[in-house]
Amino acid sequence: MSSKPSLEERIDQLEERVEGLNDRVRQLSTLLRQVGAPLPPETETHVTQADPEDSSEELLTWVGQSSLLPRMATLCFLLVVALVLRTVTDSQIVDQQVGSLLGMTYSGVLLFAGWQLYRRQHSLAAIFSVCGAALMYTIVVETHSHFESLPTVPAYVLLMATGTAMAAISYLNRVALPVIVGTLGLCLAGVAVDYPNPFYPYLALVLLYANILGTFATRMKRCTWLRWILLIVTLLMLQAWGIRLAVALARGEAIPAELAAGWYLPVVAVFFATFLTIAVLGILVRGTERVSRFDFSLPTINALWAFSAAQYAVSGRSMALGLAGLTAAALHMAAAAWLGRRHLEGAPGTNAFAVAGAALLALALPISLGSTLLALPLLSALAFGLALAARNWGSGGARFTSYLLQIYTVIALAQSELEVEKLPSPLLAITVAALVAALSFFHYRWCRNNAPPEGSLFFGRFDQENRLATLLLLGSLAAGFFLARTGIHLALLQTPEATPDTFAAFQSVLINASAAGLMIFAFARRNKEIRNVAVLVTIIGGCKVFIFDLMRVQGFPLILSVFSFGVVIALESVALSRWQRIEAWEDRKRSQDTPHGDS
């Protein structure tokens, strides 16, 4: 359907034509000068400001040409008929069921009229179809909830039929508005039916169908906001179902019929598989184009939601839940590998499933093994393996995800070994810390020897020099700190005169000694990155000494702590000053060795 240009478009076209005429005049003037012909006298042109009356005329012309007034008039007339039917029903002139049937019939007529008008490319087609859908949703919800004359199953069927009709109108006429309105109305009306105590399996079916229609709508017109609304409403309602079910199970109460406990896990599995399929299709349809934020985020959101939702029904840490999570994680990683083997530039979509798989592994491995500590070396090794795979896939995003998984492993290690007195097995803690420190260091060295994939969107835009790899070195140092910290704690347990102050002071000495060792290594290798890390560790040691130790440690341990920091500061002062003198000498030597005149 051809639409008339708007006022702004016509102004732009007029400016282009005037500019073209000016170019032609300048060309003719140049030709006349070349042949020696006299030029016509220049005339001054005065740009007069348009009168307010001219602007108002233009506005009225635009209103008339845009069919705004006819559409508003049609909307009013359609609403008048609906209000007449409502008034007749409320006045009990006709029975409530008859009035509801008349209203639904009227809505169906409007939908049919909208379809016919779309076929004729009429400007009022959208008014009829949208009004018909809105009236149908309103009548169904009110008839079921207020008048209680429409059972639940027919109510949901009518809602889904209306959404299907709007999607069919869009598909047959290649327009996006009907399916957008129909999908959004289906979602909101489905939630409104029986709120706040719906029969959740029926509601889940409606929401699932709405998400499928929303995916179809975005294929016709890119409206990501619609998909986000549908996803958020769906997850909130399913999460409410899971929370109510978990509360009833925890209290040992009789589960209400609307919660349908036997349907909960199958519904979660169906939604998980559906969202996973939608994400894969969304990535494949985009081809070599950039994946939308929704399709990129959907696998991770789906994985985290499904895992947390399943925990409500299986009471937290269950071996079956852990194995299911590992299976889902393997499925996501297989999808990432499959997308990466396409060898498209940038490996579109690969990192979306890599992130989801990594998140599921971080959640499911501790449950499957029954211990967080036992899971940490495996997660660290998987992070290193993901970096290796990212090189083969050509995915810079997957490489960045490997950084995040490695850092998460170190943070989980710190959280597990922070209270060293409560560790069930200090030797196990030392072994795990040693493995994580070694794997994180090897991960760092490999990343320093292998540049990120060329054409990577993340590294090309935000980290061209791959400086984030330094986080892996910091993670290795942190894991090494907890390794030595646990060893010091075991050694002090064999010393009767040791106190908590002694343990705190030795931790400060350990941090300061690490800073000194890093600075010596950096000075010997002229490595500025290690030098910067040494300075950062020195700052951490200073904060530990002057903020924590001075407030809580006393006696000889405090002297030892402050003395160790002073030694580190003196050593770094000498190293940095000599470093600067050496660099200045090298610069002068290079300038002297450079022949004059060389550029």
Side-chain angles (χ1 to χ4, degrees):
M1 181 174 63
S2 61
S3 58
K4 297 182 179 180
S6 62
L7 177 60
E8 293 80 2
E9 293 175 346
R10 287 189 289 162
I11 291 176
D12 293 338
Q13 294 175 2
L14 182 60
E15 290 179 351
E16 292 177 359
R17 293 177 182 176
V18 171
E19 185 64 26
L21 290 175
N22 289 334
D23 293 339
R24 295 293 299 274
V25 169
R26 284 192 289 268
Q27 293 175 2
L28 291 175
S29 300
T30 303
L31 291 175
L32 289 175
R33 289 192 182 94
Q34 292 176 355
V35 300
L39 297 177
E42 296 184 359
T43 58
E44 296 182 358
T45 58
H46 300 280
V47 180
T48 58
Q49 186 175 4
D51 295 333
E53 294 182 358
D54 297 336
S55 301
S56 62
E57 290 294 334
E58 189 72 22
L59 178 61
L60 292 176
T61 302
W62 172 77
V63 171
Q65 292 180 350
S66 63
S67 302
L68 178 62
L69 295 180
R71 291 175 179 175
M72 294 183 63
T74 303
L75 177 62
C76 292
F77 290 140
L78 296 180
L79 290 179
V80 164
V81 177
L83 292 174
V84 168
L85 293 176
R86 174 62 185 268
T87 303
V88 169
T89 304
D90 290 343
S91 302
Q92 298 183 351
I93 298 176
V94 297
D95 185 72
Q96 289 182 354
Q97 292 185 350
V98 175
S100 300
L101 182 60
L102 289 175
M104 294 178 188
T105 304
Y106 176 61
S107 301
V109 171
L110 293 182
L111 289 173
F112 180 78
W115 172 46
Q116 293 296 324
L117 291 175
Y118 267 120
R119 290 182 59 189
R120 301 174 186 174
Q121 298 184 351
H122 199 282
S123 61
L124 299 180
I127 301 298
F128 278 82
S129 59
V130 171
C131 284
L135 288 174
M136 181 65 79
Y137 290 139
T138 303
I139 292 170
V140 169
V141 172
E142 188 174 23
T143 303
H144 175 78
S145 304
H146 182 63
F147 299 130
E148 298 181 354
S149 58
L150 183 66
T152 300
V153 174
Y156 283 122
V157 170
L158 285 172
L159 294 179
M160 296 175 68
T162 305
T164 304
M166 295 292 280
I169 292 174
S170 290
Y171 177 76
L172 294 174
N173 299 280
R174 311 309 299 172
V175 289
L177 180 61
V179 69
I180 293 175
V181 174
T183 302
L184 188 60
L186 173 62
C187 177
L188 299 179
V191 173
V193 172
D194 284 333
Y195 183 83
N197 297 308
F199 186 68
Y200 281 99
Y202 292 161
L203 175 59
L205 178 62
V206 172
L207 294 176
L208 180 66
Y209 190 61
N211 280 273
I212 295 174
L213 290 181
T215 304
F216 168 70
T218 55
R219 297 293 177 264
M220 303 189 66
K221 182 178 182 180
R222 190 167 185 176
C223 46
T224 307
W225 59 268
L226 175 64
R227 301 180 71 185
W228 280 114
I229 291 176
L230 296 175
L231 180 64
I232 291 172
V233 172
T234 300
L235 296 187
L236 285 177
M237 297 308 299
L238 295 179
Q239 203 74 359
W241 183 9
I243 292 174
R244 292 184 60 185
L245 185 61
V247 170
L249 291 174
R251 294 177 178 177
E253 302 174 350
I255 299 177
E258 66 269 12
L259 294 183
W263 282 96
Y264 181 70
L265 285 179
V267 167
V268 170
V270 169
F271 270 91
F272 175 77
T274 302
F275 285 145
L276 185 61
T277 304
I278 289 174
V280 172
L281 293 178
I283 292 171
L284 294 178
V285 168
R286 301 292 295 178
T288 58
E289 299 179 6
R290 182 180 177 184
V291 179
S292 66
R293 291 186 179 91
F294 182 87
D295 289 325
F296 178 83
S297 306
L298 183 58
T300 302
I301 295 175
N302 180 41
L304 295 178
W305 162 78
F307 191 87
S308 63
Q311 285 182 309
Y312 293 129
V314 298
S315 301
R317 302 177 71 89
S318 167
M319 182 65 69
L321 176 64
L323 294 177
L326 291 180
T327 303
L331 183 64
H332 283 80
M333 287 300 183
W338 175 63
L339 292 171
R341 291 194 187 99
R342 297 185 300 168
H343 298 295
L344 299 178
E345 183 179 359
T350 302
N351 192 37
F353 287 91
V355 173
L360 280 173
L361 286 171
L363 293 174
L365 262 180
I367 296 177
S368 301
L369 299 177
S371 170
T372 301
L373 281 176
L374 290 176
L376 294 181
L378 293 177
L379 288 176
S380 183
L382 288 169
F384 192 8
L386 183 58
L388 298 175
R391 180 183 61 178
N392 297 328
W393 299 339
S395 174
R399 177 172 175 142
F400 176 65
T401 301
S402 74
Y403 294 179
L404 296 180
L405 182 57
Q406 194 71 261
I407 295 304
Y408 168 81
T409 304
V410 175
I411 293 175
L413 174 69
Q415 185 179 6
S416 301
E417 299 190 5
L418 188 61
E419 297 182 2
V420 66
E421 300 85 1
K422 298 182 180 180
L423 287 174
S425 175
L427 293 178
L428 175 62
I430 290 175
T431 304
V432 168
L435 291 174
V436 172
L439 287 168
S440 184
F441 180 75
F442 290 146
H443 193 173
Y444 162 74
R445 291 301 304 165
W446 183 88
C447 290
R448 276 288 164 258
N449 295 326
N450 296 270
E454 295 183 1
S456 170
L457 180 63
F458 176 82
F459 287 98
R461 179 179 298 180
F462 303 106
D463 189 18
Q464 297 181 359
E465 299 182 2
N466 192 23
R467 293 179 178 176
L468 285 176
T470 308
L471 296 176
L472 303 175
L473 176 59
L474 292 174
S476 177
L477 293 173
F481 168 76
F482 283 99
L483 163 65
R485 179 175 179 265
T486 307
I488 292 173
H489 176 73
L490 288 178
L492 292 178
L493 288 178
Q494 309 302 323
T495 306
E497 58 272 13
T499 64
D501 289 351
T502 306
F503 182 52
F506 271 109
Q507 292 182 67
S508 300
V509 172
L510 177 61
I511 296 175
N512 295 328
S514 301
L518 288 170
M519 182 58 70
I520 293 172
F521 179 83
F523 179 77
R525 296 293 184 89
R526 299 294 189 271
N527 191 317
K528 293 184 178 181
E529 181 182 28
I530 304 298
R531 179 198 64 187
N532 296 336
V533 172
V535 172
L536 177 60
V537 175
T538 303
I539 294 174
I540 295 174
C543 294
K544 172 70 167 57
V545 170
F546 293 103
I547 295 178
F548 180 84
D549 292 352
L550 283 178
M551 298 295 179
R552 300 185 180 183
V553 180
Q554 297 178 355
F556 180 75
L558 178 61
I559 297 174
L560 180 63
S561 175
V562 176
F563 176 76
S564 66
F565 184 74
V567 170
V568 172
I569 292 297
L571 186 148
E572 291 188 355
S573 176
V574 173
L576 292 175
S577 61
R578 291 196 60 185
W579 195 328
Q580 292 176 355
R581 288 197 298 270
I582 292 174
E583 287 184 343
W585 177 80
E586 290 176 349
D587 291 339
R588 288 195 300 270
K589 185 177 181 181
R590 280 194 297 267
S591 62
Q592 293 174 0
D593 293 341
T594 302
H596 295 288
D598 288 356
S599 56

